[in-house]
């Protein structure tokens, strides 16, 4: 079972951001990323929003780094960790634009990109960019089909769909990977179906542990019915974590304690059919977060697959 994390600082929704992130810098982001790379994390993730309307700026904030720019930055300062967009709202952009951006990231990173995608939920973003919000699911479906062609091995990819069509248009460089993994985010019936039929993995959104077996079974059922095979990675977002005894109030839902106890709790995800877990650590500053990342990699990570 692989473990990864959503990076702090690059998105600051009040649901998960710590207070210290508000004044953090690019240097802080870089140090956290390097710590995770050294600690054996499977991936680092960044979010995607183009612009936040005033009505949502309170809970969501307006701090959302661009995922392509951020992943490119991370590609240059890390060596091993995979780079995940969690999630890119692909329907906001023409698939050839996304193909150019993400193929370049994969090329520059030596094949470390994982393309996490989602339909989006902020109406004003779509309206401002001239995209039909009501049809965002259908737009994403066709965008994914177009991207399969545009991110393939051909210098001149071809696609013919209802919304997009292209041929005789070359794009180099090609991705380093023969097939960039696409992980579909979301837990609605539509998102689960999209993950099953069009994805190489699933990124649930807020599913508690007890809901995961049914969702995983549903995806397997849908893949079988559609005749889709090949590798598939089931994900889960864990409870907030703190390695050791915090000595401060980390919240009643935070899993705390020694490495063995944390590993035992997290191994339960593997028993549910999960292939990768996304972890998040409570922290009061960058130093505490990097210490947590280092401790998890050294003490908890080796116990996850016993």
């Amino acid at each position: 079972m692989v473990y990864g994390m959503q990076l702090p600082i690059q998105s600051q929704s009040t649901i998960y951001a710590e207070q210290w992130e508000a004044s953090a810098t690019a240097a802080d982001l870089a140090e956290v990323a390097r710590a995770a790379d050294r600690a054996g994390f499977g991936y680092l993730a960044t979010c995607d929003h183009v612009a936040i309307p005033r009505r949502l700026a309170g809970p969501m904030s307006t701090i959302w780094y661009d995922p392509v720019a951020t992943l490119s930055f991370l590609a240059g300062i890390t060596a091993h960790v995979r780079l995940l967009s969690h999630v890119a709202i692909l329907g906001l952009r023409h698939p050839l634009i996304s193909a150019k951006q993400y193929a370049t990231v994969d090329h520059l990173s030596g094949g470390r990109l994982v393309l996490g995608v989602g339909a989006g939920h902020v109406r004003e973003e779509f309206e401002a960019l001239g995209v039909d919000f009501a049809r965002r699911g259908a737009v994403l479906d066709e965008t994914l089909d177009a991207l399969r062609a545009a991110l393939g091995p051909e210098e001149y990819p071809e696609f013919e769909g209802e919304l997009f069509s292209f041929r005789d248009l070359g794009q180099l460089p090609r991705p380093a990977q023969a097939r960039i993994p696409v992980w579909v985010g979301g837990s609605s019936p539509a998102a689960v179906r999209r993950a099953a039929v069009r994805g190489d993995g699933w990124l649930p959104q807020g599913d508690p542990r007890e809901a995961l077996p049914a969702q995983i079974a549903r995806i397997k059922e849908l893949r079988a019915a559609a005749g889709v095979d090949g590798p598939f990675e089931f994900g889960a977002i864990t409870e907030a974590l703190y390695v050791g005894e915090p000595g401060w109030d980390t919240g009643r839902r935070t899993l705390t304690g020694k490495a063995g106890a944390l590993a035992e709790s997290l191994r339960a995800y593997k028993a549910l059919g999960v292939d990768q877990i996304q972890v998040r650590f409570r922290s009061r500053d960058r130093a505490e977060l990097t210490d947590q990342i280092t401790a998890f990699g050294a003490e908890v990570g080796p116990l996850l697959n016993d």
Side-chain angles (χ1 to χ4, degrees), residues 80-157:
H80 308 291
V81 67
R82 290 199 289 178
L83 307 171
L84 168 66
S85 57
H86 187 186
V87 288
I89 308 173
L90 293 181
L92 296 177
R93 306 163 180 91
H94 192 285
L96 281 181
I97 293 176
S98 293
K100 169 58 71 175
Q101 293 174 319
Y102 286 107
T104 302
V105 171
D106 195 62
H107 174 79
L108 291 174
S109 67
R112 291 190 280 142
L113 176 69
V114 180
L115 183 56
V117 305
H121 67 95
V122 179
R123 178 183 294 273
E124 289 90 336
E125 280 187 303
F126 286 78
E127 293 174 345
L129 296 172
V131 182
D132 188 346
F133 179 76
R135 296 196 64 215
R136 65 193 184 281
V139 170
L140 177 56
D141 286 343
E142 184 166 316
T143 299
L144 287 173
D145 293 342
L147 275 176
R148 283 298 189 195
L151 290 173
E154 299 299 327
E155 179 181 353
Y156 292 90

Side-chain angles (χ1 to χ4, degrees), residues 60-279:
M60 292 184 65
S61 90
T62 58
I63 301 174
W64 296 82
Y65 288 26
D66 177 78
V68 176
T70 307
L71 292 175
S72 298
F73 172 70
L74 296 174
I77 63 171
T78 60
H80 308 291
V81 67
R82 290 199 289 178
L83 307 171
L84 168 66
S85 57
H86 187 186
V87 288
I89 308 173
L90 293 181
L92 296 177
R93 306 163 180 91
H94 192 285
L96 281 181
I97 293 176
S98 293
K100 169 58 71 175
Q101 293 174 319
Y102 286 107
T104 302
V105 171
D106 195 62
H107 174 79
L108 291 174
S109 67
R112 291 190 280 142
L113 176 69
V114 180
L115 183 56
V117 305
H121 67 95
V122 179
R123 178 183 294 273
E124 289 90 336
E125 280 187 303
F126 286 78
E127 293 174 345
L129 296 172
V131 182
D132 188 346
F133 179 76
R135 296 196 64 215
R136 65 193 184 281
V139 170
L140 177 56
D141 286 343
E142 184 166 316
T143 299
L144 287 173
D145 293 342
L147 275 176
R148 283 298 189 195
L151 290 173
E154 299 299 327
E155 179 181 353
Y156 292 90
E158 296 185 5
F159 180 78
E160 188 69 38
E162 178 184 349
L163 301 171
F164 309 110
S165 63
F166 46 84
R167 64 173 60 243
D168 299 325
L169 293 168
Q171 287 191 330
L172 291 177
R174 305 310 303 155
Q177 298 178 85
R179 178 184 175 96
I180 291 177
V182 173
W183 293 358
V184 177
S187 297
S188 69
V192 167
R193 178 176 292 276
R194 184 174 297 117
V197 176
R198 288 182 164 84
D200 305 301
W202 176 54
L203 295 163
Q205 184 63 42
D207 292 71
R209 294 191 188 206
E210 60 269 20
L212 292 172
Q215 293 278 55
I216 290 172
R218 177 61 175 157
I219 289 174
K220 290 180 177 179
E221 174 188 326
L222 289 168
R223 286 175 66 81
V228 180
D229 54 18
F232 192 91
E233 295 188 63
F234 292 99
I237 299 176
T238 74
E239 302 83 352
L241 305 175
Y242 195 95
V243 184
E245 299 301 333
W248 57 284
D249 184 8
T250 55
R252 63 184 180 86
R253 296 185 178 179
T254 302
L255 299 179
T256 67
K258 295 181 178 180
L262 290 180
E264 181 180 3
S265 178
L266 295 176
R267 282 197 299 268
Y269 281 101
K270 187 175 183 180
L272 297 176
V274 169
D275 302 299
Q276 63 88 2
I277 52 173
Q278 184 172 125
V279 298

